[in-house]
């Protein structure tokens, strides 16, 4: 189990790439798991003939969970999301291989002593970015620190 | 002077669609969400880890919309339940049959815990004048969604940017 601490991170560090082959099951299961029954996420005929796209595609809430999972695989369970800002440029379709990539752009400690890392994350398909995400996660400043224990004024996402 | 319909103008800055989620946050659905993205974070699978780190079971923060999305069908509703109703209101009132989301920011506050009921509200923040892009002619809009638990603790604030449009031709 990873347990990333602030001192182990520096600007420019990269998170190992994560590649995943997206199937119809990936898309439909992701839609069901986010309770999204809109047809473009399970009905290929609708996606092609109504939306004019090549196939069914991942929905945004499920894609957000893929991003969270990618970052917390790196930080370990004490990594706590503060904010995630997504820019959608294209869709991830059934049949695509999506590749998550991440680079650390900032490492800091706020005035409450909370340690923060900012990571530029993106999901690429065939080297084109479909969605980018600026992810700000709190990580422990030391072995006994736990960002999840912060509340009220001590948590400034 | 704004060229927006008066009804749309009146929505800007106002809390609308304040609604309670239709079921409690529960672990079965958390695990379904984690399974869908193969999220093996022990915070969601190992009770000892959850107790030590987050003081008990919590939900992945990015799952927030799950707890407020209306059931697709329910016996007490005559029409399909819609998430983010402000977005659909704008499509209708501004005659924009098509729409895309171009940006979405999630800011996470208190963790979402099992057994909570999540409520939400939506605030239309801005709507631009007509713009033409490669998709068609329409308007950009920004909507804020606030998610709270029944104690009134802020859980997540979401800022969504959309573009509603008509295809050319």
């Amino acid at each position: 189990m990873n347990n990333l601490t602030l001192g182990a991170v520096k600007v420019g560090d990269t998170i190992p790439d994560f590649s995943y082959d997206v199937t119809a099951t990936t898309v439909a299961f992701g839609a069901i798991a986010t309770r999204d029954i809109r047809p473009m996420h399970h009905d290929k005929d609708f996606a092609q003939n109504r939306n004019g796209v090549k196939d069914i595609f991942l929905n945004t809430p499920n894609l957000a969970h893929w991003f969270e999972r990618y970052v917390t695989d790196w930080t370990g369970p004490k990594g706590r999301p503060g904010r995630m800002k997504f820019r959608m440029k294209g869709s991830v379709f059934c049949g695509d291989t999506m590749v998550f990539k991440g680079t650390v752009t900032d490492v800091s400690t706020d005035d409450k002593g909370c340690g923060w890392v900012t990571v530029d994350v993106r999901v690429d398909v065939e080297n084109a970015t479909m969605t980018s995400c600026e992810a700000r996660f709190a990580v422990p400043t030391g072995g006994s620190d736990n960002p999840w224990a912060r509340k009220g004024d001590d948590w400034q996402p | 002077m704004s060229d927006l319909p008066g009804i749309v103008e009146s929505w800007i800055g106002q809390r609308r669609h304040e609604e309670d989620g239709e079921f409690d946050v529960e672990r079965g659905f958390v695990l379904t969400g984690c399974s869908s993205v193969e999220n093996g974070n022990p915070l969601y699978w190992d009770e000892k880890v959850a107790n030590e780190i987050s003081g008990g079971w919590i939900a992945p923060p990015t799952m927030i919309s799950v707890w407020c999305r209306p059931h697709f069908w329910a016996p007490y509703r005559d029409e399909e339940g819609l998430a983010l109703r402000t977005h659909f209101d704008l499509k209708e009132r501004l005659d924009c049959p098509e729409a895309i989301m171009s940006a979405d920011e999630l800011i996470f506050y208190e963790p979402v815990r099992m057994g909570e009921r999540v409520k939400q509200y939506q605030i239309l923040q801005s709507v631009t004048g007509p713009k033409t892009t490669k998709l068609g002619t329409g308007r950009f809009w920004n909507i804020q969604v606030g998610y709270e638990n029944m104690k009134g603790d802020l859980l997540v604030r979401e800022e969504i940017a959309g573009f509603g449009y008509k295809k050319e031709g």
Side-chain angles (χ1 to χ4, degrees), chain B residues 28-54:
Chain B
F29 222 90
V30 166
L31 296 181
T32 299
C34 289
S35 181
S36 76
V37 299
E38 302 179 15
N39 182 355
N41 189 336
L43 210 49
Y44 311 118
W45 298 90
D46 184 328
E47 189 166 21
K48 183 168 180 284
V49 173
N51 286 336
E52 285 176 359
I53 294 180
S54 53

Side-chain angles (χ1 to χ4, degrees), chain A residues 105-138:
Chain A
T105 59
D106 191 52
V107 180
S108 65
T109 305
D110 68 22
D111 60 6
K112 300 293 182 182
C114 184
W116 293 97
V117 294
T118 302
V119 187
D120 274 354
V121 187
R122 63 181 202 264
V123 60
D124 288 358
V125 174
E126 294 179 350
N127 294 316
T129 298
M130 297 297 120
T131 295
S132 60
C133 172
E134 183 182 89
R136 184 173 192 251
F137 276 58

Side-chain angles (χ1 to χ4, degrees), chain A residues 20 35 68-69 84 86 146, chain B residues 37-38 53 62 69 104:
Chain A
Y20 195 90
R35 307 183 58 246
E68 179 186 341
R69 170 252 156 115
M84 299 173 77
F86 302 93
N146 175 15
Chain B
V37 299
E38 302 179 15
I53 294 180
T62 52
R69 183 180 284 275
D104 185 10

Side-chain angles (χ1 to χ4, degrees), chain A:
Chain A
M1 181 165 70
N2 284 351
N3 193 7
L4 189 75
T5 54
L6 194 70
V9 189
K10 62 181 187 305
V11 172
D13 284 353
T14 57
I15 304 178
D17 290 1
F18 167 66
S19 176
Y20 195 90
D21 293 331
V22 177
T23 67
T25 301
T26 315
V27 176
F29 187 19
I32 292 165
T34 47
R35 307 183 58 246
D36 185 347
I37 317 298
R38 291 176 301 164
M40 61 286 262
H41 305 305
H42 64 263
D43 183 339
K44 182 174 182 174
D45 182 66
F46 184 97
Q48 291 179 331
N49 294 314
R50 283 287 299 278
N51 293 129
V53 295
K54 69 177 184 179
D55 211 321
I56 58 174
F57 52 95
L58 288 178
N59 72 338
T60 300
N62 190 242
L63 193 55
H65 196 169
W66 277 106
F67 275 95
E68 179 186 341
R69 170 252 156 115
Y70 175 64
V71 178
T72 55
D73 276 1
W74 172 63
T75 63
K78 286 186 177 175
R80 178 177 175 183
R83 62 175 65 205
M84 299 173 77
K85 186 172 189 175
F86 302 93
R87 294 262 173 216
M88 288 77 104
K89 299 167 183 171
S91 299
V92 179
F93 293 99
C94 166
D96 288 343
T97 297
M98 60 179 177
V99 183
F100 289 85
K101 298 169 182 283
T103 303
V104 175
T105 59
D106 191 52
V107 180
S108 65
T109 305
D110 68 22
D111 60 6
K112 300 293 182 182
C114 184
W116 293 97
V117 294
T118 302
V119 187
D120 274 354
V121 187
R122 63 181 202 264
V123 60
D124 288 358
V125 174
E126 294 179 350
N127 294 316
T129 298
M130 297 297 120
T131 295
S132 60
C133 172
E134 183 182 89
R136 184 173 192 251
F137 276 58
V139 297
T141 53
S144 61
D145 186 29
N146 175 15
W148 288 101
R150 292 180 174 274
K151 50 192 345 184
D153 289 343
D154 287 336
W155 177 245
Q156 300 181 346

